Amino acid sequence: MILGTFLSKDRQFAGIVKGETIFATAYTDVQELIKAGKKADLNSVGEYHFSELELLSPIPNPDRDIICLGINYAAHAVESARFENKAFGGERPCPIYFSKRVDTAVPHNGIVDGHFDIVDSLDYEAELAVIIGKTAKNVKPENAFDYVFGYTILNDISARNLQTAHKQWYLGKSLDAFTPIGPYIVTTDEFSNPPALAIKSYVNGELRQNSCTDKLIFDIPYIIADLSRGMTLQPGTIISTGTPDGVGMGFVPPRFLQKGDEVICEIDGIGKLRNIIG
Ligand code: MG
């Protein structure tokens, strides 16, 4: 099932996407639908054509900061180390977790504010984001997918100068409009476990990232088991699993984003998340 959040003339709602037809539900966004424990048996309370609606991010206002994985693809670990003039040791005993604040998630076709008054090295990171569907505590890896509602695409926009100036990445990842999420959330029944999906990004039509979500160093069962051992994950929690190689800082010299650039992040089975740098 493909779920999105839409705005019509008179209201905002979570809708089921079937081609060009959108079936409205009684929930104001997909996060509310997830928190209500809904996946099947969703009643439609109205029917629209896609062209009548404005598409919002499926979770426009996440309840909590997004949990992100850092350096979770081996080839990206190598390019990140090179950017910081360090050697990559190759061993990673534990995942790197960090947090990304999102006030309002930017939708498909939305503008990403580059904050160029304080940012000189704006970068893109195409990522598979996991949406938790039910309260997860002490989950065993073999049961982890029971707790996943679905998947979406997240562009972990990053200000490299702020990310490296501060000891922690929080500020450099959390400026307003730094988190495009969408276009939709696709439920797990549409995918195999674990999902092995082509993941790509394009800047102004040029392919930059080209990998597969089966190359995660720490996979989805590991992440959910590891986090939920001592930390309760509530329904609607967003976990962004990290980005593959090919980000702007990975090039020599680096190729950072400029005002007016078009960035498209694409994951097979979920779609394309297109944004313009403003
Ligand atoms: Mg990232």
Side-chain angles (χ1 to χ4, degrees):
M1 185 165 42
I2 301 171
L3 293 161
T5 297
F6 298 89
L7 199 58
S8 72
K9 278 197 290 287
D10 49 5
R11 69 188 193 99
Q12 180 189 311
F13 60 86
I16 303 163
V17 180
K18 290 188 176 167
E20 299 277 281
T21 306
I22 312 299
F23 295 92
T25 71
Y27 301 94
T28 56
D29 60 43
V30 182
Q31 180 176 248
E32 190 189 314
L33 179 153
I34 294 168
K35 285 158 66 178
K38 294 292 178 185
K39 191 166 189 176
D41 70 319
L42 278 169
N43 295 320
S44 175
V45 297
E47 195 177 319
Y48 297 85
H49 189 268
F50 183 83
S51 60
E52 299 174 78
L53 302 171
E54 181 183 341
L55 177 65
L56 305 180
S57 175
I59 300 184
N61 306 104
D63 279 348
R64 296 172 182 78
D65 287 2
I66 291 165
I67 301 172
C68 298
L69 276 282
I71 323 281
N72 200 27
Y73 287 80
H76 177 60
V78 173
E79 69 178 3
S80 300
R82 184 174 60 228
F83 181 71
E84 294 188 38
N85 295 315
K86 294 176 191 160
F88 174 57
E91 263 301 290
R92 187 167 299 293
C94 290
I96 296 172
Y97 298 118
F98 68 93
S99 180
K100 185 173 174 82
R101 170 143 300 195
V102 184
D103 179 39
T104 303
V106 177
H108 174 59
N109 286 331
I111 303 292
V112 170
D113 181 352
H115 296 271
F116 291 113
D117 51 337
I118 53 170
V119 176
D120 65 7
S121 41
L122 188 74
D123 215 342
Y124 51 89
E125 297 189 349
E127 306 197 4
L128 175 72
V130 174
I131 315 297
I132 296 294
K134 59 181 184 181
T135 305
K137 190 169 185 179
N138 294 321
V139 174
K140 292 190 171 72
E142 58 268 32
N143 300 327
F145 287 106
D146 296 344
Y147 294 82
V148 179
F149 179 87
Y151 304 102
T152 191
I153 306 169
L154 189 149
N155 187 348
D156 179 17
I157 296 283
S158 305
R160 301 301 183 197
N161 59 315
L162 298 180
Q163 185 184 337
T164 49
H166 298 264
K167 199 171 175 71
Q168 304 230 344
W169 302 351
Y170 191 64
L171 179 63
K173 298 277 193 173
S174 300
L175 301 187
D176 290 349
F178 263 24
T179 312
I181 300 175
Y184 303 118
I185 290 173
V186 183
T187 53
T188 47
D189 49 294
E190 307 269 349
F191 302 97
S192 59
N193 292 336
L197 309 171
I199 177 168
K200 297 176 183 174
S201 71
Y202 301 83
V203 177
N204 300 326
E206 179 190 336
L207 181 65
R208 293 286 184 89
Q209 296 180 280
N210 185 9
S211 188
C212 182
T213 61
D214 66 358
K215 292 186 176 161
L216 294 175
I217 297 172
F218 296 99
D219 64 11
I220 294 165
Y222 184 97
I223 295 165
I224 291 174
D226 194 40
L227 287 171
S228 73
R229 197 166 47 220
M231 176 178 170
T232 304
L233 303 174
Q234 299 292 355
T237 295
I238 303 169
I239 303 171
S240 204
T241 56
T243 200
D245 62 309
V247 300
M249 73 170 173
F251 290 86
V252 183
R255 300 175 70 185
F256 293 119
L257 295 169
Q258 310 295 328
K259 190 176 172 71
D261 283 351
E262 176 197 63
V263 184
I264 294 175
C265 300
E266 179 177 17
I267 299 181
D268 270 5
I270 304 174
K272 291 180 182 177
L273 174 63
R274 173 187 178 271
N275 297 99
I276 300 294
I277 307 302

